[in-house]
Amino acid sequence: MRVGIIGGGATGLAAAHELAKQGHRTAVYERAPFLGGHASTFDVGGTPLERGYHHLFTSDTDILELIDELGLGHRMRWIDSKVGTLHDGTIYNFVTPLDLLRYKPLSLIDRVRLGLVTLYLQRRRDWRGLEGVTAADWLRSHAGKRVYDRFWGPMLRGKFGEEHCERVGMAWVWGKIHTRVASRGRGMLKEKLGYPMGSFGEIFETLARKIQELGGEVHVSRSVQRIVVEDGRATGLELGDGAGDASTEAFDAVIASTPSNIFPRLVPPLPDDYMAKLSDVSYMAAVLIVLVLDRPLSDKYWLNIADRSIPFVAVIEHTNFIGPQHYGGKHIVYLSNYLGTDDPIYRMEREELLQLYLPHLKKINSGFDLSWVEASYHHRIDGAQPVIGTNYSQRIPDHRTPFKGLYLANTTQIYPEDRGTNYSVRMGKRVARMVMEDMA
Ligand SMILES: Cc1cc2nc3c(=O)[nH]c(=O)nc-3n(C[C@H](O)[C@H](O)[C@H](O)COP(=O)(O)OP(=O)(O)OC[C@H]3O[C@@H](n4cnc5c(N)ncnc54)[C@H](O)[C@@H]3O)c2cc1C
């Protein structure tokens, strides 16, 4: 069987690897000049670094198994997380349950309510009962309006923007809490986060090499312009190399790991019901400024910003996770935003963003000075975060599309967990097995 795969991110490569291991011929086409998609890396002073901060939880068993299988298990490091929240000029620790009780922006009674609601969600096994209600409604009614306004609201707004934060389903929050709880050791006191030394890029490069050793092909800078569908069946891919040269390759099956808003452009018109499911999910884009500093900004790895006067939602100081000695002694800080593509910040270029963002760093470290910044980078990542509404289990598009031999596998099909490399690997493998079953 010859299977064409669109996309060289975690999903596409995991699917290709699974098929290649079973003796099938696979060809992966990635339109970017690099592999890894949302988890791809770029070069910072000779060291690969993720375009958008990345870490793993101990509960990310699918990708951890793959990392072991690739012989990279020894590259994983597990490090205590250092999470904080900035509120009214003060940074509060947010690692242990005790930190929650010390969170002064809430009154004591509200802190207790927040703690009890969080504990309840951690213990609750059934997410389906939470599906029908939005996170905003559920949290306001169970934790109270003040707890919502000062704690959950800023977090949801940070991830989904003003426009979507009221729409997100409560099952999404449940999934997020459970992933993090599962990553805590016994006693739940400390959370460990994992990072593959050598970066996520090494995982994708090794995966591509294994696929090639097994007889598969992995192409970068090759864009799929059209999925050829004949008599209701996918039979090939029309490819472009960016220089105007097009060619068509024949396949027995095709797996597309493209976002749901791009997929319909590659195929003939889809039936209304499938199309409605694809259109049901909107995406937030991620806008990232990466700063290379000559000294640390804070002592936190992850700092949530609960201050609406600051024009970014999180500060991720990567070198408070993986030490500066791995980056030539420099300190690496991401300033992160999730936005709609119509937001002015989404359209800004690096210089404009620096002008807008940098003055606010004094609110995190009053000593901050522009002279600390040695270099900066700007990444705009489209389709970064699907907005998952209520009752989503009934509206997930099927991996098997209405066209025979054509499969869709993207982050909108991960549920109730939030999207992540682990779930993309799991989905890629699952869809590869689906293709093999169907073709058999
Ligand atoms: C800022 C940010 C931080 C994140 N942090 C974490 C984290 O800490 N831990 C974690 O596990 N996950 C994290 N994630 C999520 C994780 O990166 C994604 O869930 C995962 O990488 C998605 O993989 P994918 O293969 O499904 O999709 P993608 O990575 O989007 O891959 C799809 C690929 O298809 C290619 N493509 C699209 N159309 C075409 C076409 N027509 N022809 C050829 N190629 C095409 C794209 O270029 C892309 O490379 C983060 C994501 C972002 C944006």
Side-chain angles (χ1 to χ4, degrees), residues 6-13 29-32 34-39 51-57 60 63 200 204 222-225 257-259 262 266 286 288 301-302 336 338 381-385 409-411 414 419-422 424 427:
I6 312 175
T11 304
L13 290 172
Y29 298 101
E30 169 54 57
R31 71 175 168 198
F34 46 79
L35 296 172
H38 286 174
R51 286 186 166 72
Y53 43 87
H54 269 70
H55 55 247
L56 293 176
F57 297 110
D60 286 340
I63 192 164
F200 279 70
F204 300 121
R222 290 300 292 281
S223 172
V224 171
Q225 277 155 9
S257 70
T258 50
I262 290 185
L266 301 177
L288 299 149
Y301 164 56
W302 190 287
S336 164
Y338 283 93
I381 305 180
D382 285 338
Q385 173 72 51
N410 68 33
T411 52
I414 293 166
R419 52 86 171 123
T421 50
N422 180 63
S424 293
M427 178 171 59

Side-chain angles (χ1 to χ4, degrees), residues 275-296:
M275 193 59 210
K277 287 183 175 171
L278 297 184
S279 321
D280 189 51
V281 175
S282 42
Y283 288 96
M284 306 302 292
V287 170
L288 299 149
I289 283 287
V290 188
L291 302 175
V292 178
L293 304 182
D294 65 359
R295 66 197 81 184

Side-chain angles (χ1 to χ4, degrees), residues 149-181:
D149 289 345
R150 295 189 179 189
F151 184 79
W152 298 103
M155 282 196 191
L156 288 171
R157 208 177 303 116
K159 196 80 176 200
F160 299 103
E162 208 68 70
E163 193 189 338
H164 296 295
C165 66
E166 295 281 332
R167 277 189 45 214
V168 178
M170 187 56 203
W172 184 88
V173 173
W174 179 94
K176 206 72 193 161
I177 288 179
H178 272 252
T179 319
R180 296 206 85 133
V181 169

Side-chain angles (χ1 to χ4, degrees), residues 2-6 16 25-29 216-219 237 251:
R2 188 151 192 257
V3 184
I5 294 177
I6 312 175
R25 284 178 300 146
T26 56
V28 178
Y29 298 101
E217 300 163 31
V218 180
H219 305 272
L237 295 176
F251 291 103

Side-chain angles (χ1 to χ4, degrees), residues 226-230 263-271 275 403 406:
R226 197 169 69 89
I227 300 169
V228 184
V229 176
E230 292 168 319
F263 179 69
R265 295 183 216 154
L266 301 177
V267 288
L270 287 154
M275 193 59 210
F403 299 119
L406 177 57

Side-chain angles (χ1 to χ4, degrees), residues 252-404:
D252 301 306
V254 168
I255 299 175
S257 70
T258 50
S260 292
N261 54 359
I262 290 185
F263 179 69
R265 295 183 216 154
L266 301 177
V267 288
L270 287 154
D272 289 349
D273 55 341
Y274 198 77
M275 193 59 210
K277 287 183 175 171
L278 297 184
S279 321
D280 189 51
V281 175
S282 42
Y283 288 96
M284 306 302 292
V287 170
L288 299 149
I289 283 287
V290 188
L291 302 175
V292 178
L293 304 182
D294 65 359
R295 66 197 81 184
L297 182 69
S298 77
D299 62 353
K300 297 283 174 282
Y301 164 56
W302 190 287
L303 185 64
N304 290 310
I305 306 292
D307 177 341
R308 295 183 83 171
S309 73
I310 299 181
F312 41 84
V313 298
V315 176
I316 295 102
E317 194 158 347
H318 179 76
T319 35
N320 287 337
F321 178 39
I322 304 302
Q325 67 274 22
H326 299 285
Y327 303 91
K330 305 298 175 203
H331 297 260
I332 292 170
V333 177
Y334 294 89
L335 306 178
S336 164
N337 255 321
Y338 283 93
L339 306 155
T341 50
D342 49 359
D343 193 292
I345 290 185
Y346 173 83
R347 287 190 234 113
M348 285 183 188
E349 294 304 329
R350 183 174 58 98
E351 278 306 325
E352 284 175 278
L353 285 168
L354 290 174
Q355 271 183 27
L356 178 69
Y357 286 0
L358 294 188
H360 294 275
L361 295 186
K362 274 191 181 291
K363 296 178 185 166
I364 294 163
N365 181 334
S366 56
F368 172 77
D369 188 85
L370 290 183
S371 64
W372 296 10
V373 181
E374 295 195 350
S376 62
Y377 304 86
H378 173 209
H379 302 300
R380 217 180 258 136
I381 305 180
D382 285 338
Q385 173 72 51
V387 183
I388 303 295
T390 52
N391 292 320
Y392 188 60
S393 63
Q394 290 138 48
R395 301 202 309 277
I396 304 177
D398 203 334
H399 292 305
R400 291 182 175 95
T401 73
F403 299 119
K404 273 209 157 59

Side-chain angles (χ1 to χ4, degrees), residues 85-92 103-106 150 304-310 363-364:
T85 295
L86 177 77
H87 190 282
D88 250 351
T90 306
I91 294 178
Y92 296 90
Y103 187 57
K104 295 235 177 69
L106 292 176
R150 295 189 179 189
N304 290 310
I305 306 292
D307 177 341
R308 295 183 83 171
S309 73
I310 299 181
K363 296 178 185 166
I364 294 163

